Amino acid sequence: MPLTIWIKAGTSATALVLATAGVASADPAVEQPHAKAAVVTLRYDDSRAAGWEAAIAAGVASWNANVSNVRLVEAAPGGPAEIVIVATTGWPQATLGPVRPGRQVRVELGSQAVSDGYNKTRIAAHELGHSLGLPDTKPGPCSQLMSGSSAGTACTNSVPNATERSRVQSNYASAVAASALVDGRTLVDAP
C-alpha cells in the first residue's frame, strides 16, 4: 500500500477517534467534573391549609426562584408529600428539616400571627425554610427571612437572603447531605 494511503487512513482514523471522543464528552449522561447537581424534588400537601393557598404558592415560588438544587411542587391529591401544611388557630410552627424525599415534616400556619398583623406570605415562606433545614435567626432584621416575628409586623419580606439560600443549597448539595436525617424539632414562631 502506498504511503499516501497509509497517511490518509491514519488521518481518518485519528479524526474518527477525536470526533467520537468529542461526542462522548458532550453526552449529558456521562458525569462531567463540573456537572450541575441533581435537583431534589419535594412535594407539599396544602389540602388542609384553607385560606393560605395564595400565601403558600407565593412562598413556594420564592424558594423555587432562589435555590436551584431543590424544587417544591404540589403533591397530587391524595398522593404522598414530604411537607404537610395545615392551617391552625395558634402560632406558626414547623418541623426542622432538611426533609428528604420519602420522609415527612409538618408545617402549621397559625392564624394567631395573622391576627397580630404578620404577613401571610412571609409566614409561609419562613415556615417552608424550616422544612428546608433553616433554624430561626432571632432577633434579626427584615432582610433575613428566618428572623421571623422578630422583624416586626411591618416586615413583608418573603425572599431568603444570600446566606439562607446558600445554606439550603448546601443542605441539598450531595448524596451525603441527601441521606441526612430530619432534625425533628418543632420550632414555634411566636414573638
Side-chain angles (χ1 to χ4, degrees):
M1 184 180 291
L3 181 60
T4 56
I5 293 177
W6 277 104
I7 293 174
K8 284 182 183 178
T11 304
S12 296
T14 302
L16 179 62
V17 168
L18 290 175
T20 304
V23 170
S25 67
D27 184 355
V30 175
E31 189 172 327
Q32 300 295 319
H34 300 292
K36 190 175 179 181
V39 175
V40 175
T41 300
L42 300 173
R43 298 159 296 184
Y44 67 91
D45 174 6
D46 64 355
S47 63
R48 298 185 312 176
W52 286 85
E53 297 86 353
I56 294 166
V60 164
S62 179
W63 280 109
N64 285 343
N66 284 285
V67 294
S68 62
N69 63 353
V70 63
R71 175 83 42 222
L72 303 174
V73 298
E74 190 167 5
E82 286 79 18
I83 304 171
V84 176
I85 307 171
V86 298
T88 69
T89 57
W91 276 95
Q93 57 185 320
T95 310
L96 181 59
V99 66
R100 301 297 178 209
R103 311 249 175 153
Q104 194 172 79
V105 295
R106 181 177 170 99
V107 168
E108 295 183 11
L109 299 175
S111 63
Q112 186 173 350
V114 177
S115 295
D116 284 358
Y118 292 96
N119 178 271
K120 278 181 135 179
T121 300
R122 179 172 168 83
I123 293 168
H126 173 91
E127 299 305 326
L128 288 167
H130 288 319
S131 298
L132 299 174
L134 298 179
D136 287 317
T137 55
K138 294 180 179 182
C142 183
S143 61
Q144 291 178 340
L145 176 59
M146 300 314 294
S147 67
S149 61
S150 71
T153 57
C155 180
T156 61
N157 173 40
S158 62
V159 178
N161 68 19
T163 302
E164 294 162 335
R165 292 189 302 265
S166 176
R167 190 151 179 206
V168 170
Q169 289 284 127
S170 179
N171 287 346
Y172 292 92
S174 68
V176 173
S179 67
L181 296 175
V182 169
D183 181 293
R185 289 181 289 157
T186 298
L187 303 178
V188 180
D189 290 306

